[in-house]
Amino acid sequence: TYKFIQAGKQKELYNLESDPKELNNIINQEPAISEKMSDLLASWLSRNPIPIDLDTKIDAKAREKLKSLGYIQ
């Protein structure tokens, strides 16, 4: 069983059977699995869009943090 995490441009993949504490990101060791899971996530998100409130005000510090994490440009 694998766990795939994508936050902005950062991606992580964990084998929960051999690494239940999620200490070893195996994204580079398992490119086929990570690509398949990334495609599945993209497909799911295209069918279930996340609503974004464009009127939300974000202070400069929070905006820079979100930008550094890849959430916004």
Side-chain angles (χ1 to χ4, degrees), residues 61-72:
K61 186 176 179 180
R63 181 175 294 282
E64 282 305 309
K65 183 66 174 176
L66 291 170
K67 190 174 185 179
S68 74
L69 294 170
Y71 288 109
I72 62 174

Side-chain angles (χ1 to χ4, degrees), residues 11-59:
K11 297 178 182 180
E12 299 175 14
L13 180 68
Y14 299 96
N15 182 329
L16 297 179
E17 292 176 10
S18 63
D19 182 21
K21 293 185 179 181
E22 301 173 24
L23 299 175
N24 300 303
N25 181 3
I26 59 170
I27 197 85
N28 295 322
Q29 290 81 18
E30 299 289 352
I33 294 170
S34 63
E35 184 175 336
K36 179 175 174 106
M37 294 185 87
S38 181
D39 290 346
L40 288 169
L41 177 60
S43 175
W44 186 88
L45 287 171
S46 72
R47 294 186 316 273
N48 301 281
I50 299 169
I52 298 173
D53 182 359
L54 298 176
D55 294 329
T56 300
K57 304 293 185 238
I58 302 173
D59 65 56

